[in-house]
């Protein structure tokens, strides 16, 4: 499986007169492929000798480029239609007593957050929105699903009779387990792009709905709060258990770091979350928020810092990138580009001593091969990497040290790397307890 959708644009035949048009065309093609397919686009530009341009043409290109950059405002085609659900769909919605809204990740060109909130509101439905779904904080939003939905009895108790899905394929284990158990439940997918995001093949009806569209819900009848109350009770119970576990564990774990970041980061910041355990941990230990960015669909641990820099530039918002130790090392040459972020930029490295995600696999018990071939802990001095790039550096090794992590923009003059050295055994034990005891 390729990690990225690669679009190769062959510019071999470029001729001087048409170069500008061809480059413009290739750029448009790359942007539209990237937005539609939700991945990276790769442009291959071969040059003929003598390679270098003349000083005169270089000066001209430079001044045009600088002018365009200063005037550039990203635009996207906004489709604005009124979408009226068919009678069949209205009947399904109106006959449901237990409707559940589920939103998987979606980038900002595909997130139907308005319609998801509108339906949850009208139907008094619980709303599960994974990190990266770009759904804002909302009172009916389920916070601790990644904790309690791992439990089969709870999944049975909370079984919906109608699922209203938004965004891409969910990725948290709890949601994958739930969608598998509930694959026979009638499922409507309000989809902004024409891709097949349905691992369980459980979607019964796809409804083409773009972010600018208005969903007409006049034919839908409101419901009572009975079903929502069941979810709220499970949520409250799990919140208490989580709080308890975090307080009782004395060493610093990944969970403590995610919980702290969620509590202290305000909504004006982007939170770019690396792949591997971090997106799952932000769901398990953090709070739902609109500003979380994930690279799901790609799922590679490459290019994480680069993506965060791109997000900072595109949104002009201060950005915090939370990244595992291996993913950090994988993209450490991106530190060269952090000066282009243009906004306050913090990297939080969760150093749990390698790829802890592999502890969830049976191979964890093969003691002679696990560490050297799977977890692969590294012995690199991250402080030296930070200093070599002129970054500020802080290290947190204990729970009390977490108060060092603050997001006061006025105090962040230069990029900062905060390395959190966490206890891998205690962290994994806490995850397992939360999954099993809820
Ligand atoms: C480019 C790439 N190489 C390898 C992998 C396989 N892989 C998935 S998770 C992981 C370990 C990541 O370790 P770390 O960033 O420390 O995160 P942790 O598992 O500790 O949360 C690896 C190597 C991948 N997903 N992408
Ligand atoms: Mg790690």
């Amino acid at each position: 499986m390729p990690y990225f959708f690669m679009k190769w644009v062959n510019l071999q035949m470029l001729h001087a007169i048409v170069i500008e048009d061809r480059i413009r065309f290739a750029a448009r093609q790359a942007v539209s492929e990237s937005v539609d397919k939700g991945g990276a686009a790769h442009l291959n530009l071969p040059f003929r000798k003598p390679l270098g341009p003349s000083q005169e043409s270089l000066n001209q290109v430079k001044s045009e480029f600088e002018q365009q950059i200063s005037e550039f405002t990203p635009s996207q085609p906004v489709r604005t239609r009124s979408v009226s659900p068919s009678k069949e769909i209205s009947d399904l919605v109106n006959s449901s007593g237990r409707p559940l809204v589920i939103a998987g990740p979606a980038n900002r060109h595909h997130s139907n957050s308005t319609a998801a909130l509108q339906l949850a509101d009208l139907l008094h439905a619980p709303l599960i929105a994974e990190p990266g779904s770009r759904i804002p904080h909302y009172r009916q939003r389920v916070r601790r699903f990644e904790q309690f939905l791992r439990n089969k009895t709870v999944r049975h108790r909370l079984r919906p009779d109608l699922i209203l899905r938004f965004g891409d394929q969910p990725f948290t284990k709890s949601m994958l387990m739930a969608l598998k158990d509930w694959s026979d439940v009638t499922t409507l997918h309000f989809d902004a792009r024409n891709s097949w995001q349905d691992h369980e093949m459980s979607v019964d009806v796809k409804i083409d709905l773009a972010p600018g569209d208005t969903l007409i819900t006049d034919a839908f009848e409101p419901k009572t709060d009975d079903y929502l109350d069941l979810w709220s009770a499970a949520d409250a119970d799990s919140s208490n258990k989580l709080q308890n576990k975090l307080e009782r564990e004395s060493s610093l774990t990944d969970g403590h770091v995610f919980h702290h970041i969620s509590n202290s980061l305000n909504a004006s910041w982007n939170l770019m979350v690396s792949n591997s355990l971090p997106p799952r941990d932000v769901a398990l230990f953090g709070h739902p928020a609109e500003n979380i960015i994930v690279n799901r669909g790609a799922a590679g641990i490459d290019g994480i810092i680069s993506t965060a820099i791109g997000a900072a530039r595109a949104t002009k918002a201060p950005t915090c990138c939370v990244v595992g130790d291996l993913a950090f090392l994988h993209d450490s040459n991106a530190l060269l580009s952090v000066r282009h972020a243009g906004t306050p930029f913090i990297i939080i490295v969760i150093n749990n001593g390698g790829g802890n995600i592999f502890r969830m696999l049976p191979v964890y018990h093969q003691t002679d091969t696990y560490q050297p071939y799977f977890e692969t802990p590294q012995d690199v001095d991250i402080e030296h990497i930070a200093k070599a790039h002129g970054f500020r550096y802080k290290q947190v090794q204990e729970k009390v040290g977490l108060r060092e992590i603050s997001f006061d923009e006025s105090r962040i003059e230069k990029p900062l790397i905060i390395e959190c050295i966490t206890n891998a055994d205690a962290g994994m034990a806490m995850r397992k307890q939360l999954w099993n005891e809820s």
Side-chain angles (χ1 to χ4, degrees):
M1 269 286 274
Y3 287 117
F4 291 112
F5 174 77
M6 305 284 268
K7 181 74 195 171
W8 292 84
V9 181
N10 186 345
L11 299 178
Q12 294 274 22
M13 303 302 289
L14 286 184
H15 186 274
I17 297 172
V18 293
I19 278 185
E20 202 180 314
D21 285 349
R22 289 298 304 271
I23 289 181
R24 269 184 214 291
F25 178 77
R28 281 207 194 98
Q29 195 182 13
V31 170
S32 107
E33 291 285 2
S34 167
V35 168
D36 288 349
K37 300 263 176 14
H42 181 126
L43 292 182
N44 198 22
L45 300 175
F47 287 88
R48 292 211 180 94
K49 284 187 174 162
L51 304 180
S54 69
Q55 189 60 45
E56 191 191 342
S57 65
L58 199 61
N59 289 346
Q60 190 193 341
V61 170
K62 211 170 146 222
S63 77
E64 282 176 12
F65 177 71
E66 273 160 11
Q67 191 188 348
Q68 280 173 11
I69 279 279
S70 64
E71 289 167 0
F72 180 73
T73 41
S75 63
Q76 56 165 312
V78 178
R79 200 181 74 187
T80 49
R81 296 176 317 163
S82 293
V83 176
S84 295
S86 64
K87 164 124 185 20
E88 182 207 5
I89 291 173
S90 303
D91 288 349
L92 283 172
V93 171
N94 290 337
S95 60
S96 157
R98 296 163 70 100
L100 173 67
V101 179
I102 298 177
N107 72 26
R108 64 197 171 106
H109 303 289
H110 301 130
S111 171
N112 276 319
S113 56
T114 313
L117 293 175
Q118 181 190 1
L119 280 179
D121 227 16
L122 179 68
L123 304 177
H124 293 221
L127 180 145
I128 299 179
E130 287 192 330
S133 59
R134 305 200 75 88
I135 306 261
H137 180 64
Y138 172 64
R139 71 198 135 79
Q140 279 159 232
R141 191 162 168 175
V142 181
R143 290 160 79 101
R144 308 262 68 94
F145 65 93
E146 175 64 346
Q147 188 177 333
F148 62 75
L149 276 184
R150 296 250 186 167
N151 181 309
K152 195 168 180 54
T153 318
V154 178
R155 290 200 297 278
H156 183 71
R157 181 155 43 88
L158 296 176
R159 187 183 163 86
D161 63 6
L162 178 69
I163 297 174
L164 305 154
R165 267 200 48 204
F166 290 83
D168 286 352
Q169 171 67 34
F171 68 87
T172 50
K173 183 79 184 286
S174 57
M175 279 310 347
L176 296 179
M177 291 166 124
L179 287 174
K180 192 167 191 208
D181 275 14
W182 303 335
S183 60
D184 56 338
V185 173
T186 303
T187 302
L188 313 180
H189 189 193
F190 297 83
D191 192 12
R193 64 194 189 121
N194 199 12
S195 67
W196 202 249
Q197 296 283 329
D198 182 17
H199 287 188
E200 290 304 325
M201 307 286 277
S202 57
V203 170
D204 297 279
V205 187
K206 272 179 94 161
I207 298 144
D208 177 21
L209 189 78
D213 292 342
T214 305
L215 182 68
I216 309 293
T217 54
D218 300 353
F220 296 168
E221 294 153 13
K223 318 258 171 222
T224 65
D225 273 344
D226 295 355
Y227 183 52
L228 178 60
D229 289 345
L230 288 180
W231 282 81
S232 306
D235 225 13
D237 181 48
S238 288
S239 288
N240 288 337
K241 285 186 176 139
L242 172 66
Q243 211 55 47
N244 231 308
K245 287 265 174 299
L246 288 169
E247 277 161 26
R248 282 179 36 197
E249 173 55 54
S250 55
S251 62
L252 180 69
T253 68
D254 297 3
H256 289 104
V257 180
F258 278 98
H259 195 69
H260 174 82
I261 293 172
S262 256
N263 279 339
S264 13
L265 196 72
N266 74 40
S268 63
W269 281 67
N270 295 314
L271 180 62
M272 166 74 204
V273 181
S274 174
N275 286 325
S276 200
L277 287 173
R280 295 157 174 107
D281 280 347
V282 82
L284 185 62
F285 298 102
H287 309 308
E290 185 177 6
N291 53 345
I292 298 175
I293 300 167
V294 297
N295 249 352
R296 301 309 301 178
I301 56 154
D302 47 343
I304 300 296
I305 302 170
S306 309
T307 308
I309 297 167
R313 274 197 69 108
T315 58
K316 300 189 171 60
T319 298
C320 171
C321 173
V322 190
V323 58
D325 47 318
L326 293 190
F328 172 81
L329 295 174
H330 208 299
D331 201 24
S332 61
N333 69 352
L335 298 176
L336 299 172
S337 309
V338 167
R339 67 200 155 89
H340 297 300
T343 65
F345 199 84
I346 297 181
I347 299 173
I348 298 182
V349 184
I350 312 268
N351 192 351
N352 52 19
N356 278 195
I357 195 163
F358 301 122
R359 293 182 176 220
M360 282 152 56
L361 302 178
V363 72
Y364 178 46
H365 303 290
Q366 293 175 16
T367 41
D368 50 338
T369 47
Y370 177 69
Q371 279 231 326
Y373 296 111
F374 290 87
E375 199 157 66
T376 61
Q378 303 300 312
D379 192 15
V380 179
D381 188 331
I382 292 180
E383 178 169 13
H384 281 153
I385 295 185
K387 293 276 162 66
H389 289 81
F391 287 25
R392 285 198 304 133
Y393 169 86
K394 288 185 189 177
Q395 193 182 83
V396 178
Q397 291 206 49
E398 290 173 27
K399 281 165 69 176
V400 285
L402 285 172
R403 57 172 109 92
E404 288 288 307
I405 305 181
S406 88
F407 299 95
D408 179 356
E409 281 168 53
S410 62
R411 291 176 46 205
I412 303 169
E413 331 81 50
K414 348 197 212 174
L416 167 66
I417 292 180
I418 305 175
E419 180 182 11
C420 297
I421 300 184
T422 58
N423 180 330
D425 292 340
M428 214 60 216
M430 199 191 301
R431 289 185 189 96
K432 286 190 176 150
Q433 285 163 14
L434 289 168
W435 295 331
N436 296 330
E437 288 174 17
S438 293

